[in-house]
Amino acid sequence: MGKVLAMKRFFAALSLAALAACSPAARQGMVTRMVGLPVSDDAELQALATSAPRALAQLPKHNLAAVVLLAGSRDGVERWRTAERIEIYTRRGMVIGTRGLGDDLMDLDEGGATAVIMAHAHGRVSRIYRALDGEGRIEIRAYICDIVPQGPTTLARDGGPVSAFLVQETCHGPRDAFVNQYWVKGGKLLQSEQNLATSAGPLRLFNQP
Amino acid sequence: MKFLFSALFFATLAPLAALAQNRTPHLSFQGMAGHIEMPSAFAMPDGTLAFALSTHAQGVRRSSFAFQITERLSGSFRYAYFDGYFDNSSRALSLYDRSFDLRYLLVREDLQGWLPAVTVGLQDFGGTGVFGGEYLVASRHLGETLEISAGLGWGRLGSYKGFDNPLGFLHDGFKTRPGNTGGISDTGKVDFDKFFRGDAALFFGVNWQPRENLGFSLEYSSDAMEREVARQDYAHRTPINIGVNYRLSDKTRLDLAYLSGSTLALGLSTTFNARQSVLPSGREPAPPPVVVQDTKAAASWNLPEAREAASAQLAQALEAQGITLESIDVAGPSAEVSIKNTRWLDPAQAYGRTVRVLSAHLPQSVETFEIRSEKNGIAVAAIAIDRTDLAALEYAPDAAWQTYARADLRDAGALPDPRANRAMDLDLALRPYALPAFFDPDNPLRIDVGAELFAEWRPTRQIYLSGALRQPLLGNLGETKRRSNSVLEHVRSDFALYTQSDKAFVEHLTLEHFSRPAEGLYGRVGMGYFERMFAGVSAELLWAPIDRPYALGVEVNGLRQRDYEGLGFLDYSVFSGHVSGYYDFGAGYGGQLDVGRYLAGDLGATLTLSRSFGNGIEVGAFATLTDVSFEDFGEGSFDKGFYVRLPLSWLSGEPTQRRVGTTIRPIQRDGGAKVDIRSRLHPLIKDERAAAKGDGWGRFWR
């Protein structure tokens, strides 16, 4: 009897060990904290907390959101960070990288999309996204994107309605396709939904007017 | 055979048609692609690891571990228990059987056309042969929901309604199959002279998956279950087996089957793919930014009175990134920095974090950062990167590749040793340990767990004094009753005698020196208690040029066998040593050949084949043949086994260098045994050497 029990325990231990390797907990490894700036001993965060420009970032596919603070900029690239140091890099509002999401966009060649979008023009561009595959190697995901201006529109904001120009970008790649949306005002992105071409999905950014 | 594989980058624009072929096929109770007991011809996606457990009502329990070694070749290890196999009335005479399977996909299914997948397989070659059989099977997908197979089996798979071997027309010898000559000393040998011999029989199978998580299987089995009928009161009423399966999750499935019209069986299987990762870029927070202006910290570097404080600030900032600053030498426009990477699995990520911190803490007048990442005081490569390149590439597309291309890489062995200017610390750690032991028929899984006090002290840069004291807390290793009957010197088979006491014991205590004698050369000399069973002196020299796929090493040891308790010795001493050749075949496949003298004084060679994945997972198998005869070796015939190592960071997403792993030998005996030295050179430098070739640089900017 003891031996049968021993075998059972052995098999139970083996299967548990195997199952643990794919626990759903690991899948929740994306941004897990909600809006808010908790008290922390992060010096940079304390310095930014009161006065730095801020935006709202959402990952609708994962039902998550966070406030991001502008932590710095260099060479035309703005670095936005959350309280727990997850960062989004943008150039003129176009997301070109993330860090800390668990499946990050490492870098992006936007192929001239920003210029076309800011000009409210039609265009076709190629976007090259780079992310890490399951083995930690850079994987290239290429898309052909059609940019089509949609026209003037109004956004509801706290201070009242704000007018902006909506531009839509439809991207097709070998594995999937997505649609990005940009609300442009005065040469800046007031709001956008940009797909990161990773399992994080679309990223919505709401900037201050 | 050198492909265009850049170590770094695979552009994986996988066309949609290939996705269908990447489905994990239905697994049989054998733990490999199949129906219920019969195999199918499909291959699992490359890099898949599959675990399966099953229990059959007649008193058979099986566990298996399968690995898709290449796109076409897969292997598995099986551990099975047959209740009352030798004598129905007494469980003490049950059979615990360990065996290996291999299968090869000869023809890939043409999803657009009509060509089926065709696979040839060896079931249970070597081992006691209880499952022994060979097969040739063809399978096809029909629509989205059906898998059908038809095949020809030999051996166990040719035992039901067998007919004259069709291969008999090639040679008469194929018509008959030699029986097991029996005896425990025959186990473990590969029975080449049995393969595809004797009667053959047909088998068929169908898998139907009408729903995402529910499926059914039906097969016509060519296995007459002769052994089970004879020894376990098994009733073989019909060759038809039926089964139903339920998908518990993406990767885990439960199977219930009714075999031979008489017996129920239940199975659980789980697969995961070593080429995939839930969190490919990890959960660590974002790195600090590259800085292009002089910060306060940087400016004070040039003031002699503030240099000390600035250096301490730099060390602190690096520590926050998981990097220990070993030394720094700033001479004009260049800074030479030696670091120890304590957190990142990929050395390139350590370089990336280091240069970011350096850019903020060193003045703008320092234009070039030269970094050496050291392990045990020796560095493989010195990487030099210009500050201007860093600034230009931080947010640039294709930054990882560009950075690697612009970095100047040199073998650190060709450079003078950096000056050591930091006090050497004592590292102390208290951590748990677990020591498993497998396959004792009295208890197939035993384990001891306890606490380990680990200490490491470096009186000089390259001298390491290291030790670990272990205190077993709970476990059942001491219950092992079986004693070795080996005719060889008991260099390994007396493992049980070392675990009888629950007093604290010294796991290892060594004094070692590591060096870089010249470009491409690495050296190690050490003395002390290397492992639980052996102590002595050891020296190793490795030639591993930085830009070549091969390496050559030689190791010599003078050893005494340790006493079962305490720090004393037994009477046995031995000179052992090896010449080792290492080769990187590319795409993660590697081989190692060691030729030399083993612990029992036997002469021979070990071949190890391994596959490493970019995320740190490693799977390998080894076999050793020496001048010890199969009879003298005893059960198992020769030393062989496989290992799996998983990085914890792959499991959790949190950055850490710790790995978990196990080496499984079907049987541990005394032939072909090597002393277990923790700090052998090739494994020590492996990661850094790969990084010097560009591996893992995707994480430089992470």
Side-chain angles (χ1 to χ4, degrees), chain B residues 23-38:
Chain B
R23 274 186 293 201
T24 305
H26 187 272
L27 302 182
S28 69
F29 282 130
Q30 305 291 352
M32 301 183 97
H35 299 277
I36 302 171
E37 291 281 357
M38 296 297 108

Side-chain angles (χ1 to χ4, degrees), chain A residues 74 85 99 102 104 134-135 139, chain B residues 12 281 286 391 394 614-615 701:
Chain A
R74 187 182 73 74
R85 234 213 154 95
R99 295 292 185 273
D104 287 314
E135 290 194 64
E139 186 179 63
Chain B
T12 56
S281 66
E394 184 182 9
N615 47 33
W701 288 107

Side-chain angles (χ1 to χ4, degrees), chain B residues 353-431:
Chain B
R353 297 260 167 162
T354 301
V355 296
R356 289 167 180 272
V357 171
L358 291 177
S359 74
H361 282 82
L362 294 180
Q364 292 298 303
S365 56
V366 176
E367 287 161 10
T368 304
F369 304 131
E370 186 189 88
I371 302 165
R372 280 178 230 206
S373 178
E374 292 182 356
K375 250 189 181 171
N376 288 14
I378 51 174
V380 171
I383 318 260
I385 304 182
D386 282 345
R387 191 195 273 272
T388 45
D389 285 334
L390 292 175
L393 293 173
E394 184 182 9
Y395 301 116
D398 207 13
W401 170 247
Q402 294 292 331
T403 312
Y404 176 69
R406 295 191 203 184
D408 185 28
L409 250 125
R410 283 181 297 169
D411 187 327
L415 302 168
D417 275 346
R419 277 186 310 138
N421 56 9
R422 267 177 44 92
M424 299 298 163
D425 297 325
L426 173 68
D427 270 331
L428 217 53
L430 184 63
R431 53 199 192 196

Side-chain angles (χ1 to χ4, degrees), chain A residues 1-4 6-30 32 44 72-75 77-79 84-87 89 91 96 98-110 128 130-142 174-176 199, chain B residues 7-14 16 51 53-54 61-63 79 81 91-92 96 250-252 268 270-272 274-292 356 390-392 394-400 438-439 441-445 612-615 650-651 695-696 698-699 701-702:
Chain A
M1 188 61 193
K3 289 179 188 64
V4 174
M7 288 296 284
K8 284 189 183 148
R9 262 183 268 137
F10 165 53
F11 288 130
L14 260 191
S15 60
L16 276 175
L19 286 173
C22 45
S23 74
R27 240 168 250 134
Q28 288 157 20
M30 304 282 191
T32 53
E44 187 193 63
S73 76
R74 187 182 73 74
D75 204 19
V77 175
E78 292 176 328
R79 187 169 61 91
E84 64 274 284
R85 234 213 154 95
I86 292 167
E87 289 185 359
Y89 307 140
R91 187 180 269 125
I96 58 161
T98 70
R99 295 292 185 273
L101 288 181
D103 188 2
D104 287 314
L105 173 64
M106 295 306 288
D107 57 62
L108 167 64
D109 183 350
E110 46 92 78
I128 298 179
R130 285 179 177 83
L132 296 175
D133 70 7
E135 290 194 64
R137 299 194 178 113
I138 293 278
E139 186 179 63
I140 296 169
R141 297 163 195 168
R175 284 193 290 211
D176 60 343
S199 59
Chain B
L8 262 184
F9 305 123
F10 288 123
T12 56
L13 304 176
L16 281 164
F51 294 94
L53 300 171
S54 63
R61 286 173 189 90
R62 284 187 276 193
S63 61
Y79 186 50
Y81 163 80
R91 280 212 188 86
Y96 289 82
D250 213 19
K251 310 250 180 281
T252 306
L268 183 69
T270 185
T271 62
F272 59 99
R275 299 186 69 183
Q276 287 169 3
S277 178
V278 177
L279 299 167
S281 66
R283 298 180 60 183
E284 59 265 26
V290 170
V291 172
V292 294
R356 289 167 180 272
L390 292 175
E394 184 182 9
Y395 301 116
D398 207 13
F438 301 108
F439 310 134
D442 293 333
N443 189 345
L445 176 66
S612 302
F613 295 87
N615 47 33
W650 179 81
L651 290 169
D695 272 3
R699 292 196 105 99
W701 288 107
R702 177 60 186 95

Side-chain angles (χ1 to χ4, degrees), chain B residues 26-151:
Chain B
H26 187 272
L27 302 182
S28 69
F29 282 130
Q30 305 291 352
M32 301 183 97
H35 299 277
I36 302 171
E37 291 281 357
M38 296 297 108
S40 69
F42 303 116
M44 298 186 291
D46 184 32
T48 303
L49 294 144
F51 294 94
L53 300 171
S54 63
T55 174
H56 302 240
Q58 79 271 21
V60 170
R61 286 173 189 90
R62 284 187 276 193
S63 61
S64 67
F65 165 66
F67 178 52
Q68 190 70 36
I69 300 165
T70 72
E71 279 187 0
R72 291 179 181 268
L73 180 68
S74 60
S76 85
F77 169 71
R78 181 191 301 107
Y79 186 50
Y81 163 80
F82 284 77
D83 197 26
Y85 190 79
F86 293 110
D87 179 327
N88 220 339
S89 59
S90 162
R91 280 212 188 86
L93 296 172
S94 298
L95 173 68
Y96 289 82
D97 184 66
R98 296 160 293 256
S99 52
F100 291 97
D101 289 6
L102 265 184
R103 34 186 285 148
Y104 190 80
L105 179 71
L106 293 168
V107 178
R108 219 173 252 143
E109 182 184 19
D110 182 359
L111 287 168
Q112 266 78 46
W114 52 266
L115 207 61
V118 179
T119 289
V120 63
L122 303 174
Q123 191 170 288
D124 187 5
F125 65 95
T128 57
V130 166
F131 287 103
E134 303 83 44
Y135 56 87
L136 184 68
V137 59
S139 301
R140 260 212 78 89
H141 286 98
L142 288 180
E144 286 292 311
T145 58
L146 276 177
E147 289 178 3
I148 59 169
S149 307

Side-chain angles (χ1 to χ4, degrees), chain A residues 5-200:
Chain A
L5 228 52
M7 288 296 284
K8 284 189 183 148
R9 262 183 268 137
F10 165 53
F11 288 130
L14 260 191
S15 60
L16 276 175
L19 286 173
C22 45
S23 74
R27 240 168 250 134
Q28 288 157 20
M30 304 282 191
V31 179
T32 53
R33 306 229 202 114
M34 291 299 294
V35 174
L37 297 171
V39 174
S40 85
D41 55 6
D42 183 331
E44 187 193 63
L45 190 63
Q46 297 302 89
L48 298 171
T50 44
S51 56
R54 57 209 56 208
L56 181 66
Q58 288 180 352
L59 292 170
K61 182 174 167 188
H62 299 272
N63 228 11
L64 297 165
V67 166
V68 288
L69 303 174
L70 181 62
S73 76
R74 187 182 73 74
D75 204 19
V77 175
E78 292 176 328
R79 187 169 61 91
W80 303 84
R81 61 163 288 183
T82 69
E84 64 274 284
R85 234 213 154 95
I86 292 167
E87 289 185 359
I88 301 169
Y89 307 140
T90 62
R91 187 180 269 125
R92 293 186 72 190
M94 190 73 65
V95 177
I96 58 161
T98 70
R99 295 292 185 273
L101 288 181
D103 188 2
D104 287 314
L105 173 64
M106 295 306 288
D107 57 62
L108 167 64
D109 183 350
E110 46 92 78
T114 313
V116 175
I117 290 162
M118 293 306 179
H120 305 180
H122 285 263
R124 169 171 278 199
V125 299
S126 350
R127 282 175 171 263
I128 298 179
Y129 294 82
R130 285 179 177 83
L132 296 175
D133 70 7
E135 290 194 64
R137 299 194 178 113
I138 293 278
E139 186 179 63
I140 296 169
R141 297 163 195 168
Y143 295 81
I144 303 286
C145 302
D146 288 309
I147 299 169
V148 178
Q150 303 291 300
T153 180
T154 338
L155 288 172
R157 286 296 176 94
D158 279 349
V162 180
S163 66
F165 194 95
L166 174 61
V167 180
Q168 197 156 287
E169 182 184 22
T170 309
C171 295
H172 292 274
R175 284 193 290 211
D176 60 343
F178 50 78
V179 177
N180 293 336
Q181 293 189 305
Y182 306 90
W183 287 265
V184 185
K185 184 182 177 68
K188 295 221 279 232
L189 277 186
L190 199 52
Q191 192 168 311
S192 62
E193 178 168 318
Q194 307 180 42
N195 201 299
L196 298 174
T198 67
S199 59

